């Protein structure tokens, strides 16, 4: 058996080069005569690793100097709740834009903590688009506006950053971070679970403007307080050292690839290849409006549901893994994050073409 092309939505494929490096230095890392997993996060070697990872991420995304970069835990879901805990007072308005299942979940978690307003939603059309910006009902006094720039389940992506005026814009970029250049300065806060484009699960990367941290309530338990995490360089308690290490390797890999501009060119080519084939096939179908189609997650259906099981079985036998769509949508989903090479998408398209010919 050999490694297949892994289309999992997350935890997702990591670059093979990164896995090989981690394998090679698993037992003894960087001259410390122990594994990176076995050493103190407060010792010089690990601190140097942590600082290098932050520097590399800052360079990759051109993070302005008035933003903190945090390496946290809890998954993106914990931060659905922790963000309102830090940046609102009970009863204060917060605006959520619903473009899919993850923005719904984010809004639901904020419910007990703030006056959640749904500023816009494409639920009525089954989350097949981004609601046009001129129809958003924003409250100028809201504590923040929350968006999900890429919806992992339905494959809906913002291709522009919405202008929300002076209200801080918060983005859950779990499934799009590092897939293309991003103007960090348009956001007050960005956060991402690591398990798609950054590293293993159990790590959350947050990029937050310093002035927003001044709002964190002093009476919050420290472990929930982002200002405390920032003040202690994400080492308030033992961080996910293994995740941080792997994230650092992924950042270095990205730099060797030519950075996020190079990734954007590759990701665009991958997406165009797959959507182009789907649209022209007359067999497969993607329901998302072309202007809102994700570069990272591509859901598609076959002409009949009874074809799903044989499609998945044959795909797996051909080394094309984890194509089953999310249970909320059915059908298939190909997640084509940074670590998926163009050859993997080409192999998928070749398989899909052959399957359609045999089952037309
Ligand atoms: N937001 C988005 C956009 C996601 O894709 C996911 C996970 N797939 C989450 C949030 C939840 O992340 P976690 O499981 O790390 O809490």
């Amino acid at each position: 058996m050999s490694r297949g092309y892994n289309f999992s939505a997350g935890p997702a494929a990591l670059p093979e080069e990164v896995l090989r490096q981690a394998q090679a230095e698993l037992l003894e890392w960087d001259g410390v005569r122990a594994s990176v997993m076995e050493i103190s996060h407060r010792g010089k070697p690990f601190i140097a690793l942590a600082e290098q990872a932050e520097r590399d991420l800052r360079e990759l995304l051109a993070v302005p100097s008035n933003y903190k970069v945090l390496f946290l835990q809890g998954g993106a879901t914990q931060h659905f709740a922790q963000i309102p805990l830090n940046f609102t007072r009970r009863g204060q308005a917060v605006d959520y834009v619903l473009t899919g299942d993850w923005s719904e979940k984010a809004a639901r978690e904020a419910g007990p903590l703030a006056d959640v307003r749904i500023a816009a939603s494409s639920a009525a059309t089954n989350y097949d688009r981004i609601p046009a910006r001129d129809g958003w009902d924003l409250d100028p006094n809201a504590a923040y506006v929350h968006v999900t720039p890429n919806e992992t389940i339905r494959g809906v992506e913002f291709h522009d950053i919405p202008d929300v005026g002076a209200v801080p814009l918060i983005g859950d970029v779990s499934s799009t971070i590092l897939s293309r250049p991003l103007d960090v300065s348009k956001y007050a806060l960005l956060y991402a679970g690591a398990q798609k484009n950054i590293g293993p699960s159990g790590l959350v990367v947050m990029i937050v403007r310093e002035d927003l941290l001044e709002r964190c309530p002093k009476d919050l338990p420290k472990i929930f307080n982002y200002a405390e995490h920032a003040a202690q360089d994400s080492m308030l308690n033992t961080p996910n050292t293994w995740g941080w290490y792997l994230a650092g390797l992924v950042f270095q890999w990205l730099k060797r690839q030519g950075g996020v501009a190079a990734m954007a060119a590759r990701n665009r080519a991958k997406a165009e290849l797959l959507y182009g084939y789907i649209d022209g096939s007359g067999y497969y179908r993607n329901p998302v409006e072309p202007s809102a189609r994700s570069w990272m997650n591509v859901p598609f259906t076959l002409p009949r549901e009874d074809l799903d099981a044989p499609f998945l079985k044959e795909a797996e036998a051909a080394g094309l893994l984890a194509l089953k769509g999310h249970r909320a949508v059915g059908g298939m989903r190909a997640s084509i994050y940074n670590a998926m090479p163009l050859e993997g998408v080409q192999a998928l398209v070749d398989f899909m073409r052959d399957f359609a010919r045999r089952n037309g």
Side-chain angles (χ1 to χ4, degrees), residues 36 108 135 181 228 231 235 285 287 327:
V36 68
R108 200 176 312 140
E228 287 289 341
M235 300 227 187
R285 196 175 159 271
R327 59 190 181 278

Side-chain angles (χ1 to χ4, degrees), residues 9 74-78 80 102 148 150-152 172 174-175 193 195-196:
T77 305
Q78 180 174 312
F80 290 168
W102 292 110
T148 308
N150 185 65
E151 284 283 356
T152 319
D172 168 7
S174 294
S175 51
Q195 64 268 25
K196 292 106 163 55

Side-chain angles (χ1 to χ4, degrees), residues 21-43:
Q21 186 176 346
Q23 181 183 43
E25 53 195 34
L26 182 66
L27 295 183
E28 290 184 57
W29 173 72
D30 202 33
V32 301
R33 304 177 69 196
S35 173
V36 68
M37 270 190 281
E38 301 172 306
I39 60 170
S40 168
H41 56 294
R42 306 214 183 267

Side-chain angles (χ1 to χ4, degrees), residues 57 69-80 82-83 172 174 177 189-195 198 200-207 226 234 240 243-244 247 251:
L57 181 63
V69 173
L70 307 180
F71 290 80
L72 305 171
Q73 301 183 59
T77 305
Q78 180 174 312
H79 299 277
F80 290 168
Q82 209 172 323
I83 284 167
D172 168 7
S174 294
I177 190 168
L189 184 153
L190 291 160
Y191 65 111
Q195 64 268 25
I198 296 176
S201 59
L203 177 74
V204 168
V205 168
M206 182 171 283
I207 303 172
Y226 292 135
S234 308
N240 177 349
W244 203 328
F251 300 154

Side-chain angles (χ1 to χ4, degrees), residues 179-258:
S179 67
R180 58 169 87 190
L182 168 73
D183 185 352
V184 172
S185 72
K186 297 260 170 65
Y187 288 92
L189 184 153
L190 291 160
Y191 65 111
Q195 64 268 25
K196 292 106 163 55
N197 264 343
I198 296 176
S201 59
L203 177 74
V204 168
V205 168
M206 182 171 283
I207 303 172
V208 54
R209 213 171 56 211
E210 284 167 354
D211 64 88
L212 201 66
L213 292 174
E214 288 163 18
R215 290 201 208 167
C216 300
K218 305 266 180 300
D219 57 359
L220 265 187
K222 283 191 173 142
I223 193 68
F224 297 139
N225 188 322
Y226 292 135
E228 287 289 341
H229 284 278
Q232 303 207 32
D233 297 323
S234 308
M235 300 227 187
L236 177 75
N237 66 330
T238 316
N240 177 349
T241 53
W242 175 246
W244 203 328
Y245 157 78
L246 275 176
L249 295 189
V250 169
F251 300 154
Q252 283 172 16
W253 176 81
L254 282 169
K255 286 171 63 175
R256 291 197 299 276
Q257 305 305 302

Side-chain angles (χ1 to χ4, degrees), residues 119-163:
S121 170
S122 54
T125 55
N126 237 340
Y127 294 126
D128 66 346
R129 66 193 69 188
I130 305 292
R133 171 64 191 87
D134 53 13
W136 294 13
D137 170 28
L138 295 175
D139 180 345
N141 296 313
Y144 59 77
V145 181
H146 183 283
V147 294
T148 308
N150 185 65
E151 284 283 356
T152 319
I153 293 177
R154 292 176 202 256
V156 174
E157 185 163 12
F158 284 75
H159 293 280
D160 299 298
I161 302 174
D163 182 359

